[in-house]
Amino acid sequence: MRSICSKSVFLGWLRGASVLVLVASWLSVVEAQSSWDQIVSSAEKEGAIVIFGQGGTHIRNGLIQGFSKKYPKIQVEYSGARGSRIASKVLTQRRAGRFLVDLVSSGPTSLVTALKPAGALDPIQKFLVGPDVQDPSKWMGGKFEFSDDDGKYLFVYHTFVGVPFVYNPDLVSSDEFTSWWDLLKPKWKGKIIMSDPKVPGPGMGRVARWYLNKELGKDFIRQLFLQQDVGISRNRRQMLDWVARGRYSIALGFATGLAIRMIDKGVNIRMMDPYALKEAADSLSGSAGIMAVFNKPPHPNAVKVYLNYLLSREGQYELSKAMKLPSRRLDVPQDHLPETVYPIKKGMKIQNTYNEASVRVRVKARKFVTSILKK
C-alpha cells in the first residue's frame, strides 16, 4: 500500500514538475518576444538606418526593398560606391568625430585592409538578437561564416564558386578550354577584356586567384598581360556588352550577378563552367556579400532589426533573387540561380578568397599586375 502511495506521489510530483517546466518555457518565450518588441519599438523611434554598400540598383533593391515593406517606419538611407571610396569617406567622417553610418555591405578588401585595422567596426553578433538570426545550424557548415581572422566583425552571407569567364558563343566554343593556359593561344590576342585589376573589384579578385594557384601564379599572369593585349575597363556593363556585340570574345574578372541578369534578358553571352578547367582549385568568392557594423552606430536598435530581417530566410531569399547569387543560409531556395554559381561540387578543391590571408595576397597580386601593366 505504501509502495502504491509513494508511486502516486512521485507521479503527481513529476506531472507538476513537467507543468512547471512548460510554464517556465512559455514565460521565457513571452519574455523574449516582449524584449524583441521593445527593440522594434525603439528602432521605429530612431526612424532610420544608414547603410553603405556596392553600387547598382539590383544591390540597393535587394538590401532595402523587403525590409522597407516590413518596417515602413524605419527609413533606409543607402549610398552605393566602391569599397575603397566607402572606407575613405567613413574614416574621414570619423576622424572629424562624425559617426553617421550604421552598416556596410561590401567585398572583403577595404573591410580587411582599411576599416577593421582602423578600429571602426563592432563585433556583429551582439546585434544578432532577433528571433530569426540566433540559429547557426541554418547556415552552411552549421555555423556563421566570417571573413576576418577574429571571427567577429565581417559576416559572410553569400559565397559562390567563381565563374572563370564570360564569352560570346558565336565566337568561342567552351570545348576549346580545358585549362586557363588556353587563354594564351595566339587566336585570343586582342580578344580579351577585363575589369581593371588595379582597383578592388572582380578584376583584382580574379588576378589574386591566379596568383594563389600554384599551377598558374606569376608566370601565367605575366604571359597573359604581356602577350595577349588584354583590354582593361572599369565599366562592368560595357565590357559585357562589348563581348555580346563581338568587339571582344572573352571577359575576365566580371560582375557575376550582372552577367546572370543580362543572360536572363537574352544578351548573347555565356558563362564558362568553372569545373571544366583542369586547374581544379578555384575560388570561393564572397563578392559583395559581407556585412559589418560600425561602432558607435547612430541607430543601434534599427541595426538589430535590420540584421534580423536581412539574415532571415525571407531577407536572404529576396537578396539572392536581386543579386542573382546564392545565400549561405541552407533554407533559402536556389531555383532562380544557374548551377555555375552554386557553392561547391563534391570533390572540388576550393580556394577561399575572402579571408584575411587571401586579401593580403590580393594586395601583393595587385602590386604585381600593376608593375606588369606599366611595361
Side-chain angles (χ1 to χ4, degrees), residues 128-317:
L128 303 183
V129 298
D132 296 317
V133 292
Q134 297 185 40
D135 185 0
S137 70
K138 295 185 182 297
W139 294 78
M140 289 177 61
K143 63 184 181 68
F144 296 139
E145 181 78 345
F146 293 89
S147 179
D148 60 289
D149 291 344
D150 301 299
K152 294 181 180 180
Y153 301 98
L154 310 179
F155 190 104
V156 184
Y157 57 78
H158 75 222
T159 49
F160 59 97
V161 172
V163 179
F165 54 81
V166 160
Y167 62 93
N168 182 316
D170 296 334
L171 304 174
V172 177
S173 170
S174 61
D175 294 338
E176 297 180 72
F177 293 89
T178 59
S179 167
W180 276 109
W181 292 94
D182 290 329
L183 284 175
L184 301 185
K185 293 178 180 178
K187 67 182 295 184
W188 305 123
K189 184 173 183 177
K191 301 296 183 180
I192 301 171
I193 182 75
M194 183 173 195
S195 181
D196 193 344
K198 303 187 300 299
V199 298
M204 183 195 294
R206 175 47 68 189
V207 169
R209 294 163 202 165
W210 293 331
Y211 193 95
L212 279 166
N213 193 315
K214 294 179 181 179
E215 299 176 68
L216 301 169
K218 291 182 179 180
D219 192 32
F220 174 80
I221 297 169
R222 185 183 294 110
Q223 290 187 54
L224 178 69
F225 286 103
L226 291 181
Q227 295 177 18
Q228 295 299 78
D229 191 23
V230 176
I232 303 296
S233 175
R234 293 192 181 184
N235 189 322
R236 298 171 188 175
R237 179 176 292 277
Q238 185 182 64
M239 60 184 276
L240 294 177
D241 282 336
W242 281 342
V243 171
R245 296 172 185 173
R247 179 170 176 177
Y248 292 92
S249 301
I250 295 168
L252 300 168
F254 60 96
T256 305
L258 174 60
I260 294 171
R261 291 193 304 278
M262 292 175 71
I263 291 170
D264 287 346
K265 293 178 180 179
V267 177
N268 190 38
I269 56 176
R270 300 290 183 273
M271 295 193 296
M272 183 68 186
D273 185 347
Y275 310 105
L277 305 183
K278 70 178 184 179
E279 296 84 13
D282 209 287
S283 59
L284 192 63
S285 175
S287 186
I290 300 175
M291 180 69 70
V293 181
F294 289 105
N295 53 32
K296 300 182 182 179
H299 311 100
N301 291 292
V303 168
K304 295 173 183 177
V305 175
Y306 179 82
L307 289 176
N308 183 69
Y309 172 80
L310 184 74
L311 302 180
S312 69
R313 182 184 185 276
E314 178 187 351
Q316 284 293 287
Y317 185 42

Side-chain angles (χ1 to χ4, degrees), residues 32-53:
Q33 183 61 49
S34 176
S35 176
W36 178 244
D37 290 343
Q38 290 175 10
I39 290 172
V40 173
S41 177
S42 296
E44 291 177 341
K45 289 177 182 177
E46 290 171 353
I49 185 168
V50 181
I51 303 171
F52 277 8

Side-chain angles (χ1 to χ4, degrees), residues 57-77:
T57 302
H58 63 292
I59 297 178
R60 175 189 175 90
N61 289 345
L63 287 170
I64 73 173
Q65 281 190 340
F67 176 80
S68 295
K69 289 179 182 177
K70 192 162 187 174
Y71 298 99
K73 295 181 181 179
I74 304 174
Q75 180 181 355
V76 181
E77 300 174 19

